[in-house]
Amino acid sequence: MQITYTQDFRIAIVNEFGEMLKAFDQCEENRAYAFFLSCLTPAERAAEDQRIAQMEIDLAIDAENAANRRLSSDHYSSW
């Protein structure tokens, strides 16, 4: 199961055989993801939840690193 884009730039939910289950306009991104989640087995859903949690941790680390680089740059630029 995966989320992809169609040739006309719509969001598509595709099964493991490459068959499109449903397509959404790009403005319906939240509905597309909710539909995607509803198609997952409990084990797949747990893996997706874990993937999202790790992504949130990675983003937080990236933001902290960027803030530290900015502070370091500000320190040296004031000399």
Side-chain angles (χ1 to χ4, degrees):
M1 186 76 55
Q2 66 180 10
I3 299 173
T4 188
Y5 288 93
T6 64
Q7 290 181 346
D8 60 351
F9 304 106
R10 296 183 77 208
I11 301 168
I13 311 303
V14 179
N15 68 14
E16 60 272 13
F17 305 110
E19 301 167 330
M20 183 170 35
L21 301 177
K22 195 165 186 176
F24 298 86
D25 291 329
Q26 286 190 3
C27 63
E28 298 178 307
E29 185 177 301
N30 291 337
R31 286 186 58 222
Y33 190 64
F35 179 79
F36 169 75
L37 292 176
S38 74
C39 294
L40 299 178
T41 65
E44 291 170 329
R45 176 64 190 262
E48 179 68 6
D49 289 345
Q50 185 174 5
R51 185 185 74 82
I52 295 297
Q54 185 60 52
M55 193 182 317
E56 290 172 347
I57 291 168
D58 293 345
L59 287 171
I61 290 170
D62 289 347
E64 183 176 346
N65 289 340
N68 288 337
R69 282 192 303 274
R70 191 170 41 253
L71 288 173
S72 178
S73 173
D74 290 347
H75 172 74
Y76 289 112
S77 66
S78 66
W79 281 23

